[in-house]
Amino acid sequence: MKIKRVDHLGVIVDDLDGAVKSFTEHLGLKLDHTEQYGDELDIAFLPCGETLVELIEPLKEGGSNADYLREHGPGIQHVAFEVDDLEAALAELAQRGVEPLGDAPVPGAGGMRIAFLDPQAFDGVLVELCEPIT
């Protein structure tokens, strides 16, 4: 498995518009676009070099992202690494005892196929692997 780059940092927020304003006004980042992921999330994408800052606002109570926000508050939720072949990466990780969380891979935001990995394998850090949909 070859990690190509850090694709994005997933940041959970409770006010997407306010967070976008803060990241653009204070840090000078530019908003690329926003996207609604099903009926669960509003996501804003702010490029920073080759990496995106992905601001994520849960839209309804009860989902894993809303639970995370309630338990931990706003902040970095996950780090996502781009790979060339997501299925091959998941197979290799399974041989190493690292399992995905839930079904994987699944369609993700931003034109990606994604898989979240069990945080226990990474000392509690939630890791996402992603592969661009071609």
Side-chain angles (χ1 to χ4, degrees), residues 53-111:
V53 175
E54 183 182 83
L55 301 175
I56 305 163
E57 179 184 1
L59 296 176
K60 62 182 183 179
E61 290 297 319
S64 62
N65 290 289
D67 292 345
Y68 185 94
L69 179 60
R70 186 180 60 257
E71 292 172 21
H72 302 283
I76 295 175
Q77 179 208 34
H78 68 273
V79 59
F81 297 98
E82 183 181 336
V83 296
D84 284 326
D85 185 337
L86 187 53
E87 271 103 7
L90 290 171
E92 186 176 327
L93 286 164
Q95 291 177 347
R96 297 178 188 171
V98 178
E99 296 297 325
L101 293 176
D103 295 331
V106 296

Side-chain angles (χ1 to χ4, degrees), residues 3-71:
I3 301 291
K4 292 177 67 173
R5 66 187 181 102
V6 173
D7 182 75
H8 66 269
L9 297 176
V11 181
I12 291 285
V13 300
D14 53 13
D15 173 11
L16 188 63
D17 292 335
V20 167
K21 183 177 179 182
S22 293
F23 277 74
T24 57
E25 289 183 4
H26 299 308
L27 297 177
L29 297 180
K30 303 289 183 203
L31 175 65
D32 183 70
H33 70 283
T34 59
E35 184 176 317
Q36 192 166 3
Y37 186 68
D39 62 351
E40 294 184 29
L41 305 172
D42 269 344
I43 304 172
F45 297 88
L46 295 91
C48 181
E50 291 188 10
T51 303
L52 292 170
V53 175
E54 183 182 83
L55 301 175
I56 305 163
E57 179 184 1
L59 296 176
K60 62 182 183 179
E61 290 297 319
S64 62
N65 290 289
D67 292 345
Y68 185 94
L69 179 60
R70 186 180 60 257
E71 292 172 21

Side-chain angles (χ1 to χ4, degrees), residues 81-87 105 111-114 129-134:
F81 297 98
E82 183 181 336
V83 296
D84 284 326
D85 185 337
L86 187 53
E87 271 103 7
M112 295 285 190
R113 294 175 60 234
I114 64 171
L129 297 182
C130 59
E131 172 188 31
I133 297 172
T134 55

